[in-house]
Amino acid sequence: MSREMTGAQMVLQALADQGVDHIFGYPGGAVLPIYDELAQQDRLKHILVRHEQGAVHAAEGYARSTGKVGVVLVTSGPGATNAVTGLTDALMDSIPIVCITGQVPTHLIGNDAFQECDTVGITRPCTKHNYLVKDVNALSRVLHEAFYVARTGRPGPVVVDIPKDIQFARGEYTGLTNSQHKSYNPRVKGDERAVAQAIELMAKAKRPLFYTGGGIINSGPLASARLRELVRMTGFPITSTLMGLGAFPASDPQWLGMLGMHGTYEANNAMHDCDLMICIGARFDDRITGRIDAFSPGSTKIHVDIDRSSINKNVKVDLPIVGDCAHVLEQMIDAWKAKKPKLDRAALKVWWAEIDRWRARNCLSYRKRDDVIMPQYAIERLYALTRGHDVYITTEVGQHQMWAAQFFKFEEPNRWMTSGGLGTMGYGLPSAVGVQVAHPDSLVIDIAGEASVLMTMQEMSTAAQYDLPIKIFIINNEYMGMVRQWQELLHGGRYSHSYTAALPDFVKLAEAYQGVGIRAEKPSELDDAIREMIRVKKPVIFDCRVDKHANCFPMIPSGEAHNHMLMGDDVTGEDIEKAITEEGKVMV
Amino acid sequence: MAQPGSAYPLEKKEQRPETHTMTVLVDNEPGVLARVIGLFAGRGYNIESLTVSETEHEAHLSRITVVTSGPPMVIEQIQHQLERLIPVHAVTDLTVKGNPLERELAMIKVAGKGEKRVEALRLAEAFRADVIDSSTGHFIFQVTGEQSKIEEFIALMQPLGLVEVARTGLAAISRGPERM
């Protein structure tokens, strides 16, 4: 079906045909024709953010919590450049985003026109693909292709740059077609022979381990369901990266917790000592592997990934399987059922006994205190008191993020939104906005740090405008905690510029944004304050004043192997307190 | 004082670099070359030679021939990273396929008089280089062949009045009847 309409109308029509309900954006000169069309309809809801970075993070939160493509609409020049951090974040974490940017009219491109920038040039390395549309008759095809590219294969952000004259121009609109893309056709099914080999290896394994990641989440709920089936069928232990939390239930006895730099003792030791590693939808990131030449030295490695370039990038694997997690997991389940393998029960029993010894180390233990709230305690209480609610968690980046990953237990996929690859401070608040837009009746909490959250604080205003009752739970220690932790461990405790000396009053700030501010300073106040936060049906900033010097353990220091972890109880609180001088605190 | 450290592993992997010739079949659309070159620059891969031209006009397909070098794991990465680009139809590592035909064309301007001029012309004949422009004071030779032959010819012209050289970069194709 093709119809004549303007470019701006095509944008709205394409979004409708793609089933888009919400877009996050900010108007400006070069997108006004599209905004004019937006005003003349009410099917598509537009969420006006306060900064374009916030628009992309909100779309990421929306996408990650729904499995749909997040859509962003911004103007040319600064609108596009402000979106770059969000686009890069989405690229690193494989989040499907379509970002429509306005551009100066075609005849002005290259003239250094007002609010002109080379959007496709700037966003080329931070998108999965991008387009500059110079012909209105190509616009509908490009928009539909953008959605296809964003959501298929390894998902990612796609930019469509539309010059203003193209938005005004009239042309033919073509709806969705089933035509195959001429060069981009990602493979979803794994090679059957490789799957059979994988099952062989799994049947013989004495110390097997599943190592899973964000690919399972991206693949969809079916992948999580099949992962659970396969893991339970085999009885093997499983760990996951930060991005993969929730794919396998944290309450399951086979779950070892997160692995990596701040992963659990049991997960990291199991990675180091396993004889068969079954990696599904993870990418051997440097936060996971630690020292690469000492990474899991004795294991045979199977790697399932939809992106061929993720295989053998950091770690050489023995059996690569290229395909979508959900499909390959189904193939593995079928092959396992068909083969009915006889497992080496005796060896597996020894392996589990070893794991139980590591578990007994109780690596996440910390010293509770009556006088100050320990950050770990704050998250434990937040977790306990939110049971029975429909909870979605987003985070900023830093210590609080790692504590959230360690102490908040996820049972389901798509409940955990965090900036893993890029590590974008300021991700959590706008992301929570996006999650709340998608799930208006759910409890959406941004576990935040006071430094991170100030980077995108303006989005509180967005939350107020759309009555989004997001909860910003700030683990406030007045430091950029992770920076300080590294300075402590690696730079002789010289706290160069990691202390924020003039923080705002977060309670008053919440009120200024037409929200509610709550503060807790003592462990005895914490539970009631959290209950109050949950009860309030408005945006809340919760200023949780925590121990200023707590550090995040366990930890694999850089350049170390998985079995050389630094444990929390190796470093006493007194040592760290002594290490911090008054001078250090005010070093700004 | 505590030892300064890094949040990243700093050790370097020691692997011997290899030189590979790859051909990349792409849609001939605006920006496609920037995508390919940007990938090499952004990820720190080497480009030793690069040629590009539309080879199938009706399908609007261009063929890029790139000579790159790196350790085996990096070479494998380059191929798969190229394959990830949306307008890329196919990537072939011709070096892995084995013994590809590799040719380059060079135009070489030599100025001089007398004995040197005669010697240049004599060598050009030996290298089967064509004279494509000349005056009483100069020749422009066109020489085609493997890169080693061109290098050799340029070296010989050096003392004979070499002025400048234009080279196309390498074009390569696999042997036998099959398509890439």
Side-chain angles (χ1 to χ4, degrees):
Chain A
M1 186 201 76
S2 82
R3 282 187 283 150
E4 205 204 67
M5 59 178 86
T6 68
Q9 287 167 336
M10 286 182 192
V11 171
L12 282 257
Q13 189 59 50
L15 295 181
D17 288 353
Q18 288 290 338
V20 176
D21 302 317
H22 294 96
I23 62 172
F24 301 88
Y26 204 104
V31 277
L32 285 180
I34 299 172
Y35 270 88
D36 196 43
E37 290 300 326
L38 267 175
Q40 296 173 46
Q41 57 89 52
D42 48 17
R43 199 202 68 82
L44 187 66
K45 300 273 179 291
H46 176 271
I47 307 295
L48 175 67
V49 295
R50 300 300 186 259
H51 185 285
E52 290 86 350
Q53 183 191 349
V56 186
H57 291 329
E60 285 184 274
Y62 186 92
R64 190 114 181 124
S65 66
T66 59
K68 296 200 275 188
V69 177
V71 183
V72 177
L73 176 60
V74 297
T75 192
S76 62
T81 56
N82 278 347
V84 163
T85 300
L87 293 169
T88 313
D89 191 272
L91 182 71
M92 292 288 271
D93 287 342
S94 311
I95 312 292
I97 298 288
V98 169
C99 176
I100 296 165
T101 55
Q103 182 56 278
V104 301
T106 39
H107 70 274
L108 285 180
I109 289 178
N111 273 14
D112 299 326
F114 177 64
Q115 291 195 328
E116 183 189 355
C117 75
D118 176 10
T119 302
V120 284
I122 290 168
T123 61
R124 199 176 288 127
C126 64
T127 53
K128 182 171 172 184
H129 195 50
N130 61 15
Y131 304 85
L132 169 62
V133 184
K134 286 181 151 179
D135 170 10
V136 70
N137 290 309
L139 182 56
S140 47
R141 180 191 58 77
V142 166
L143 285 164
H144 293 306
E145 189 178 304
F147 276 86
Y148 170 69
V149 170
R151 72 168 175 263
T152 55
R154 180 177 177 176
V158 177
V159 163
V160 182
D161 198 25
I162 313 177
K164 194 169 182 179
D165 55 328
I166 303 297
Q167 298 170 33
F168 280 125
R170 294 187 74 82
E172 288 293 310
Y173 176 85
T174 349
L176 292 168
T177 57
N178 288 325
S179 64
Q180 225 195 12
H181 194 279
K182 51 191 169 157
S183 55
Y184 171 73
N185 297 295
R187 170 181 190 148
V188 290
K189 236 171 134 352
D191 176 42
E192 284 293 349
R193 278 193 319 203
V195 170
Q197 266 180 285
I199 298 300
E200 270 318 302
L201 289 167
M202 284 161 72
K204 285 190 303 194
K206 294 180 190 308
R207 298 186 306 280
L209 178 66
F210 282 100
Y211 149 47
T212 62
I216 308 264
I217 313 277
N218 285 332
S219 178
L222 205 56
S224 292
R226 286 172 180 163
L227 176 72
R228 289 160 194 226
E229 190 182 347
L230 180 68
V231 171
R232 286 178 182 143
M233 222 179 235
T234 58
F236 296 168
I238 173 169
T239 179
S240 146
T241 66
L242 180 75
M243 294 308 293
L245 296 179
F248 193 81
S251 59
D252 193 288
Q254 282 169 258
W255 172 248
L256 304 190
M258 181 177 79
L259 83 159
M261 187 170 271
H262 293 288
T264 65
Y265 187 68
E266 49 271 34
N268 284 331
N269 272 298
M271 281 293 273
H272 189 268
D273 286 5
C274 66
D275 72 342
L276 178 69
M277 182 185 294
I278 309 142
C279 170
I280 307 177
R283 60 185 177 92
F284 297 89
D285 173 76
D286 59 76
R287 304 290 95 162
I288 295 303
T289 60
R291 189 172 146 188
I292 213 106
D293 60 357
F295 173 73
S296 194
S299 63
T300 302
K301 297 172 185 75
I302 301 169
H303 187 180
V304 179
D305 205 300
I306 197 155
D307 179 2
R308 182 64 185 82
S309 75
S310 277
I311 293 167
N312 291 341
K313 181 164 69 183
N314 303 320
V315 170
K316 194 102 184 142
V317 298
D318 303 281
L319 180 60
I321 303 177
V322 180
D324 170 57
C325 293
H327 283 84
V328 176
L329 279 163
E330 186 185 28
Q331 291 173 280
M332 289 171 96
I333 290 167
D334 291 347
W336 185 272
K337 281 181 180 162
K339 187 177 161 70
K340 297 187 188 69
K342 277 205 186 66
L343 296 176
D344 188 342
R345 298 277 169 206
L348 290 172
K349 208 175 156 196
V350 173
W351 177 229
W352 273 109
E354 181 78 54
I355 288 169
D356 285 338
R357 269 196 296 282
W358 290 323
R359 275 177 168 162
R361 181 71 177 74
N362 199 11
C363 67
L364 295 179
S365 67
Y366 60 95
R367 272 196 261 171
K368 288 202 180 69
R369 289 169 61 171
D370 295 332
D371 52 338
V372 278
I373 302 173
M374 293 302 287
Q376 299 94 326
Y377 179 73
I379 292 169
E380 277 187 318
R381 294 314 301 157
L382 184 70
Y383 175 70
L385 295 169
T386 51
R387 294 310 83 206
H389 292 270
D390 186 33
V391 187
Y392 289 84
I393 298 292
T394 73
T395 75
E396 310 291 336
V397 169
Q399 285 183 325
H400 67 274
Q401 178 191 27
M402 293 298 112
W403 282 317
Q406 290 172 339
F407 290 90
F408 213 98
K409 310 288 179 204
F410 294 92
E411 300 294 311
E412 296 297 330
N414 305 98
R415 297 285 169 154
W416 165 247
M417 273 57 60
T418 194
S419 171
L422 193 64
T424 312
M425 291 171 71
Y427 167 85
L429 201 170
S431 174
V433 166
V435 176
Q436 191 83 75
V437 165
H439 310 274
D441 301 319
S442 301
L443 178 60
V444 181
I445 305 172
D446 170 26
I447 298 179
E450 79 293 334
S452 284
V453 80
L454 283 176
M455 288 200 176
T456 49
M457 181 52 86
Q458 73 284 349
E459 301 307 333
M460 263 300 277
S461 183
T462 309
Q465 180 171 342
Y466 297 96
D467 294 322
L468 303 169
I470 56 169
K471 320 294 186 214
I472 315 300
F473 190 79
I474 303 176
I475 303 288
N476 185 352
N477 64 0
E478 299 176 15
Y479 280 97
M480 292 154 216
M482 196 57 96
V483 173
R484 191 209 53 206
Q485 178 165 347
W486 280 94
Q487 290 173 336
E488 226 159 84
L489 289 164
L490 301 165
H491 295 278
R494 292 180 294 283
Y495 300 143
S496 181
H497 304 275
S498 53
Y499 181 74
T500 317
L503 284 168
D505 179 332
F506 284 108
V507 172
K508 284 186 184 161
L509 191 60
E511 287 159 7
Y513 278 119
Q514 301 161 43
V516 173
I518 298 173
R519 179 170 293 126
E521 291 176 285
K522 295 271 171 278
S524 55
E525 310 168 347
L526 187 60
D527 281 18
D528 283 345
I530 291 174
R531 283 193 196 98
E532 169 71 5
M533 175 186 87
I534 296 169
R535 204 183 49 75
V536 172
K537 296 294 173 237
K538 283 183 115 184
V540 174
I541 299 182
F542 189 115
D543 184 12
C544 186
R545 298 292 182 88
V546 299
D547 179 29
K548 295 194 197 331
H549 310 310
N551 278 338
C552 190
F553 293 109
M555 176 177 186
I556 304 175
S558 74
E560 289 290 350
H562 275 170
N563 57 349
H564 290 141
M565 295 192 78
L566 205 56
M567 307 298 283
D569 37 15
D570 294 347
V571 194
T572 67
E574 284 79 15
D575 286 347
I576 291 168
E577 272 174 39
K578 256 186 271 167
I580 301 167
T581 63
E582 284 307 306
E583 286 164 286
K585 285 181 188 167
V586 293
M587 200 183 281
V588 287
Chain B
M1 195 176 115
Q3 185 173 340
S6 165
Y8 301 92
L10 295 176
E11 82 271 24
K12 265 195 175 157
K13 282 177 279 181
E14 293 298 331
Q15 262 189 326
R16 268 214 321 206
E18 296 173 357
T19 300
H20 283 238
T21 305
M22 293 185 193
T23 69
V24 190
L25 206 59
V26 297
D27 282 326
N28 185 11
E29 61 180 30
V32 68
L33 190 59
R35 289 182 204 282
V36 170
I37 294 172
L39 175 75
F40 276 80
R43 293 187 183 266
Y45 306 147
N46 295 318
I47 298 180
E48 293 183 0
S49 165
L50 181 119
T51 61
V52 53
S53 187
E54 188 171 88
T55 50
E56 292 170 49
H57 298 305
E58 266 171 33
H60 296 290
L61 290 179
S62 285
R63 185 173 170 123
I64 298 172
T65 307
V66 57
V67 181
T68 184
S69 66
M73 258 175 95
V74 173
I75 298 284
E76 187 188 335
Q77 264 296 295
I78 293 172
Q79 174 164 2
H80 298 311
Q81 290 289 353
L82 285 167
E83 284 166 349
R84 233 156 71 113
L85 298 175
I86 305 294
V88 166
H89 288 251
V91 183
T92 309
D93 186 332
L94 293 173
T95 307
V96 168
K97 276 190 95 177
N99 196 21
L101 288 164
E102 300 179 336
R103 294 292 183 271
E104 188 175 5
L105 182 147
M107 289 180 278
I108 295 151
K109 190 181 283 187
V110 181
K113 293 199 182 290
E115 193 54 39
K116 284 189 176 173
R117 184 174 161 82
V118 176
E119 181 65 8
L121 195 62
R122 202 184 59 77
L123 284 166
E125 272 165 25
F127 276 76
R128 285 195 239 166
D130 294 330
V131 176
I132 54 174
D133 184 56
S134 65
S135 70
T136 52
H138 86 285
F139 288 119
I140 298 177
F141 298 116
Q142 172 190 304
V143 61
T144 317
E146 289 181 22
Q147 284 192 310
S148 56
K149 172 183 167 186
I150 291 169
E151 293 290 344
E152 204 179 329
F153 185 66
I154 292 168
L156 288 169
M157 290 301 116
Q158 194 74 47
L160 300 178
L162 183 75
V163 178
E164 63 177 326
V165 179
R167 297 172 68 160
T168 57
L170 207 68
I173 201 161
S174 61
R175 290 171 194 269
E178 302 84 18
R179 202 184 149 87
M180 70 176 270

